[in-house]
């Protein structure tokens, strides 16, 4: 009998969002040389032994079941492509059988690319980075960590409300965000393009630029606050360029890691909204101040755990929960953000033996709603930052996404002064 595992309420929420979104977490690495696919397949198997959720697939479930379950027996295979762009776009645009992990090696004269697609219901961005690090270590013959999966997936222990004070702070945050989303701005389309579901554009901030950004931060603001502010301001500038509506506010969904000190490969990301009135985005200083005030409050008040409290009390048959995402159009104006910015932090990856060092890392989060046209993923590597924009191609094609990226970098440059 294959091993099974109960899905957490957070897992279930993302499983049910499959009805409206392609929930692929995109992570890829480029190496200096060429990858031995047989050796990579062995490394994948070793990494999956250390991190069982890599073999997860949803178990069949009757509509009256109260909990979803994972079956931990999904096969891991390595596909091969000779076109990096096609491999990336197509891999991230499909979830063929809901396997937690799919892998493609794209052959390239500048160094092979290993592209990973993770199903967000099983593995979030931080979990994806930990799994890729284990694959790299296994490929090179290094020792792998012990996962400790059961305790790590206890959401109530990790982030549940500890008392009335927590409940009040979290309820206040939810109510404040819902009020702030009145007349929320949506990213305008540019006519889109044909092709796979998603389009991607990547830019790198070199170490000198990152150092200058850090040095330019106002007191009390983080580098991530600067990125969030620039992202929000770019939405306003893009819509103005398109001659499209700019509402009274713009919001960004910011993932917050619930793991604590461990690095479990699982879905353990909460999501916090940063909702900023459009008037506060008119200049860099006011935008950064508005964002920093909200992110600081989240850290001080511990409101990131709100999702655990809400999902834990939603007890209903699975058949009912599965249709709930189809009702999103009725409420998404008050509960779905304009966009996402997800920052994984630094990627500390070793070499891959004869395939050489990791030269580049790319990451992007999924578009969680059909109305969330653009997302932005950030990951650190070699003291720089790599930024990858992802769009719903039917709304914004690759050419339009290039413009979005350029406008962001110009805005960020202005923010640096």
């Amino acid at each position: 009998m294959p091993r099974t595992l109960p899905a957490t309420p957070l897992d279930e929420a993302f499983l049910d969002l499959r009805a409206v979104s392609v929930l692929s977490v995109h992570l890829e690495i480029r190496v200096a040389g060429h990858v031995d696919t047989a050796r990579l397949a062995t490394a994948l198997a070793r990494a999956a032994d250390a991190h069982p959720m890599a073999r997860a697939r949803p178990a069949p479930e009757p509509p009256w079941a109260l909990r979803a379950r994972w079956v931990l027996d999904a096969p891991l295979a390595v596909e091969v492509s000779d076109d990096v762009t096609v491999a990336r776009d197509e891999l991230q645009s499909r979830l063929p059988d809901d396997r937690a992990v799919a892998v493609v090696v794209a052959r390239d004269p500048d160094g092979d690319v290993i592209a990973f697609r993770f199903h967000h219901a099983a593995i979030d961005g931080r979990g994806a980075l930990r799994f890729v690090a284990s694959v790299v270590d296994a490929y090179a013959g290094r020792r792998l960590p012990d996962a400790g999966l059961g305790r790590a997936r206890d959401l109530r222990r990790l982030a549940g409300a500890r008392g009335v004070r927590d409940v009040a702070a979290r309820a206040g945050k939810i109510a404040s965000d819902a009020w702030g989303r009145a007349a929320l701005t949506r990213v305008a389309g540019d006519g889109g393009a044909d092709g796979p579901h998603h389009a991607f554009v990547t830019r790198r901030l070199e170490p000198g630029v990152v150092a200058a950004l850090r040095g330019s931060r106002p007191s009390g603001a983080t580098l991530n606050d600067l990125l969030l502010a620039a992202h929000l301001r770019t939405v306003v500038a893009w819509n103005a360029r398109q001659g499209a509506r700019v509402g009274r506010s713009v919001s960004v969904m910011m993932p917050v890691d619930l793991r604590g000190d461990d690095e479990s490969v699982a879905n353990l990301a909460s999501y916090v909204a940063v909702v900023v009135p459009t008037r506060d985005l008119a200049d860099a200083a006011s935008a950064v101040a508005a964002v920093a005030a909200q992110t600081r409050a989240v850290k001080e008040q511990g409101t990131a755990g709100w999702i655990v409290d809400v999902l834990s009390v939603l007890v209903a048959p699975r058949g009912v929960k599965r249709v709930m995402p189809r009702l999103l159009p009725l409420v998404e104006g008050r509960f779905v953000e304009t966009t996402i910015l997800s920052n994984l932090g630094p990627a500390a990856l070793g070499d891959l033996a004869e395939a050489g060092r990791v030269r580049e890392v790319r990451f992007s989060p999924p578009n969680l709603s059909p109305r969330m046209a653009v997302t932005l993923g950030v990951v650190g590597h070699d003291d720089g930052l790599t930024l990858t924009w992802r769009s719903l191609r039917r709304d914004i094609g690759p050419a339009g996404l290039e413009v979005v990226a350029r406008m962001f970098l110009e805005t960020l440059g202005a923010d640096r002064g």
Side-chain angles (χ1 to χ4, degrees), residues 18-340:
R18 292 175 297 174
V20 296
S21 300
V22 177
L23 297 176
S24 59
V25 176
H26 158 224
L27 193 64
E28 65 183 67
I29 59 175
R30 183 186 293 273
V31 297
H34 298 291
V35 174
D36 180 328
T37 54
R39 184 169 179 170
L40 178 61
T42 301
L44 279 170
R46 277 194 62 205
D49 288 341
H51 306 292
M53 285 302 292
R55 289 198 173 96
R57 62 177 176 84
E61 59 183 35
W64 56 85
L66 292 179
R67 292 285 299 275
R69 297 190 68 83
W70 294 107
V71 181
L72 305 182
D73 67 352
L76 291 165
V78 178
E79 302 175 49
V80 180
S81 171
D82 59 2
D83 189 313
V84 173
T85 300
V86 170
R88 176 185 304 123
D89 292 1
E90 291 186 350
L91 178 65
Q92 304 307 329
S93 295
R94 60 181 165 91
L95 290 173
D97 54 11
D98 282 333
R99 287 177 296 160
V101 183
V103 184
V104 174
V105 172
R107 301 298 188 188
D108 193 273
D110 292 331
D112 288 351
V113 170
I114 310 175
F116 294 80
R117 188 277 297 147
F118 296 88
H119 194 311
H120 202 315
I123 300 173
D124 62 13
R126 286 296 305 174
L129 185 57
R130 174 64 264 176
F131 183 75
V132 171
S134 290
V135 171
V136 168
D137 287 342
Y139 190 99
R142 292 184 287 269
R143 184 173 176 272
L144 302 187
D146 179 15
L149 189 59
R151 182 173 171 79
R153 285 164 47 82
D154 184 348
L155 297 181
R156 296 290 299 177
R157 179 187 66 83
L158 287 171
R162 299 293 187 262
V164 174
R165 190 171 182 175
D166 280 355
V167 172
R170 294 172 184 190
K173 170 68 171 165
I174 293 170
S176 173
D177 290 344
W179 179 261
R181 293 187 193 100
L184 189 68
T185 303
R186 297 293 174 192
V187 179
D190 68 348
D194 294 331
H197 192 69
H198 294 127
F200 300 85
V201 168
T202 296
R203 296 290 182 267
R204 175 160 171 86
L205 301 182
E206 296 299 338
V209 175
V210 175
L213 283 168
R214 291 187 191 281
S216 73
R217 291 173 298 158
S219 176
T222 67
L223 177 59
N224 202 55
D225 292 335
L226 267 63
L227 298 174
L228 287 164
H231 192 40
L232 291 169
R233 294 183 69 215
T234 300
V235 169
V236 174
W238 165 262
N239 275 26
R241 175 190 174 98
Q242 299 302 118
R245 172 185 170 276
V246 175
R248 293 202 299 268
S249 61
V250 189
S251 67
V252 58
M253 184 180 284
M254 180 182 70
V256 177
D257 191 5
L258 299 179
R259 283 171 177 76
D261 295 331
D262 70 70
E263 293 186 80
S264 300
V265 174
N267 178 27
L268 293 167
S270 180
Y271 286 86
V272 172
V274 176
V275 185
V276 180
T278 306
R279 65 176 181 273
D280 291 341
L281 299 173
D283 62 83
S286 59
V288 172
V291 168
Q294 293 193 43
T295 59
R296 189 162 52 245
V298 167
K299 296 169 189 173
E300 292 172 352
Q301 298 173 15
T303 50
W306 72 271
I307 197 168
V308 175
D309 302 328
V310 170
L311 294 177
S312 295
V313 300
L314 291 178
V315 180
R318 292 290 303 135
V320 173
K321 287 185 177 181
R322 283 200 300 267
V323 302
M324 289 176 67
R326 299 188 185 278
L327 304 178
L328 269 177
L330 301 178
V331 297
E332 63 186 353
R334 290 299 180 109
F335 293 101
V336 177
E337 313 311 335
T338 305
T339 183
I340 294 176

